[in-house]
Amino acid sequence: MMEKRYRWKSEQIRKHVAIVDGKQAPTKVLMNATYLHPYIRQWVQGNVWICDDRIVYVGPNKPKQLNSCEVIDCTNQVLVPGYIEPHAHPFQLYNPQTLAEYAAQFGTTTLINDNLFLFLQLTKKKAFSFLSAMEKQPVTMYWWCRLDPQTEMEGEEHLFSYKNMKGWLENDAVLQVGELTGWPKLLEGDDFVLHWMQEAKKLGKKVEGHFPGASDRTLTKMKLFGADADHESMTGNDVYKRLMHGYTVSLRHSSIRPDLPTLLKEMKQFGIHHYDQCMFTTDGSTPAFYEKGLIDEMIRIALQEGVRDIDAYSMATWNIARYYNIDHLHGSITPGRIAHINILEHASNPTPISVLASGQWVKRDGVPVSAFSAVEWDVHGLAPLSLSWDLQMDDLQFSMPLGMYMENSVIIKPYSISIDTSADELSIDHDESFLMLIDRHGKWRVNTVLKGFATHVQALVSSYSNTGDILLIGKSKRDLLVAFERMKQMGGGIVLCEHGEVIHDISLPLGGLMSAKPMKELIEEEKTLGELLRARGYTFVDPIYTLLFLSSTHLPYIRITPKGIYDVMHKTVLFPTIMR
């Protein structure tokens, strides 16, 4: 399955050895390079020989044969391994292909990806065909295996069947189980989660936690169950506690938790000056957050906070490769590794001027190079959303007494609805809006009121959600119908409507959840949506994550799910879905 992990057949390896013996020529040579060597934690000088996608020699010698070999003089330049994103959610409006293509321009050449979208939306056969297609790209992609859907839904036991789980976990492209958003079930005696954690351990794969605000007691228990790492540190004390319990810690800097400067400052206050058990992640940020870069931006922040350059680059490369047991392929510029190499003007600027991914130029002297093959999305089951049903005014009945109050970006509490919801339009004098989650197949709906989202948003309809079902938020029922029709015509997307007119939309034709556009275009579309929503009273950090988190039951206190309004703390359905 994972040809990019084993990669080289016997005849290829013989060729690599023949190059070292001077019998054949390499395909590329990076001459006079200063490069980072993590084994001795030093910057050293040498020449780097590459054959196709593999580094075959690093040292003082020059090849004896240079026939048809591309020679690049790296004098006064610095080489570092391609950066690794260990915790990617590659479905945040963008898709894995466009994310990888964009990330490579900033030197991130390996992504370790969440599989939840594929797991929920595609059959295992289609999902694995997609993984195979991604293997053909110059950027290396690995994957997680989720153990829970992060929401409440019908048929969960069929999705997370033994056969499905075994197939995913044994796939060579999968490096870990997690993230463990459903860990409270484990503490309460759920042996399903424990079984697959143990199976992961047997296969030599990692277990990633999701433990925001966890106590010492909880961290201890989860370590006993087998958790290896956690990315939910929000303070230096959180980092300290996790390190003291033997966790590898992902230092996060994301669109909803841009914590890295604070974490690094507070880590120093706790006397933490060694970073061998730390790594960087942007935790699946939304498109606009990546405008300045990805992992390279985190290295830059670390350097600005006084972290030694070798430590900063190691947290983006070597530490991650070593943690995931892929250091035989990634994380260093040494013989036998995949030729993921960033060429920098100086170690103080981690954004590369040139990038090699699998030995191919994807960026050369500041200019992007086309190296990615096209993806046939429909072959993998990612066609435009096709709805065979219509939304009617009768569906927009909001008689539920219980509403959802957004205290902040992630905390949603119950509240008693006191406004009249029978009208076709709500007043803009308050911050309460109609809220509906409706099955993408049109079989059920959940109607309530969302308080705190905005004051002047007339209609926002989105096929992008945690479950893939349709979200409707707004003041005007008639505008909600207009926005829904526009979303339906587009084959999925996010639509903002006002006074009967569509004022902005983002097309998501890949399963109704992902854009097919390049990241630069998508960034502008998302920025415009954010500006329009904030002008209409949206006050939180990230509207895309708001849409995602409305159904996410790993967060307190209530959520709107395919089972109905769900009390997370008591694990009960307060008001069930209504069948249409």
Side-chain angles (χ1 to χ4, degrees), residues 188-199:
E188 293 164 5
D190 187 335
D191 281 339
F192 172 85
V193 176
L194 181 56
H195 170 78
W196 291 112
M197 290 173 68
Q198 292 174 318
E199 289 298 307

Side-chain angles (χ1 to χ4, degrees), residues 202-326:
K202 289 179 185 177
L203 292 167
K205 301 188 179 187
K206 297 296 185 179
V207 177
E208 186 182 16
H210 176 98
F211 310 138
S215 65
D216 287 342
R217 186 182 182 91
T218 296
L219 290 173
T220 298
K221 289 180 179 180
M222 295 310 301
K223 205 73 180 79
L224 294 175
F225 281 125
D228 295 299
D230 182 64
H231 61 282
E232 286 292 333
S233 294
M234 292 175 273
T235 66
N237 186 40
D238 288 341
V239 175
Y240 178 78
K241 287 196 302 183
R242 282 155 177 76
L243 290 174
M244 291 300 291
H245 284 83
Y247 286 88
T248 295
V249 180
S250 291
L251 305 178
R252 177 171 54 187
H253 195 69
S254 71
S255 54
I256 57 170
R257 296 292 324 185
D259 292 335
L260 187 59
T262 298
L263 291 176
L264 293 171
K265 286 184 177 75
E266 294 182 357
M267 285 167 68
K268 290 179 182 178
Q269 294 170 10
F270 278 88
I272 301 170
H273 301 288
H274 297 280
Y275 303 93
D276 291 352
Q277 300 303 319
C278 296
M279 48 194 181
F280 293 137
T281 180
T282 60
D283 194 11
S285 295
T286 44
F289 186 78
Y290 289 138
E291 192 168 21
K292 294 181 179 179
L294 285 86
I295 298 299
D296 61 312
E297 185 66 12
M298 297 192 72
I299 299 170
R300 181 175 290 105
I301 291 169
L303 295 174
Q304 291 168 351
E305 293 297 329
V307 176
R308 199 163 69 109
D309 54 11
I310 291 175
D311 288 322
Y313 284 101
S314 293
M315 283 191 278
T317 56
W318 177 243
N319 293 4
I320 303 169
R322 195 164 40 103
Y323 168 77
Y324 279 108
N325 299 319
I326 54 173

Side-chain angles (χ1 to χ4, degrees), residues 118-133:
L118 301 176
F119 199 90
L120 295 181
Q121 304 301 329
L122 302 180
T123 64
K124 186 175 67 174
K125 183 177 180 180
K126 290 288 187 183
F128 284 1
S129 76
F130 179 74
L131 266 58
S132 295

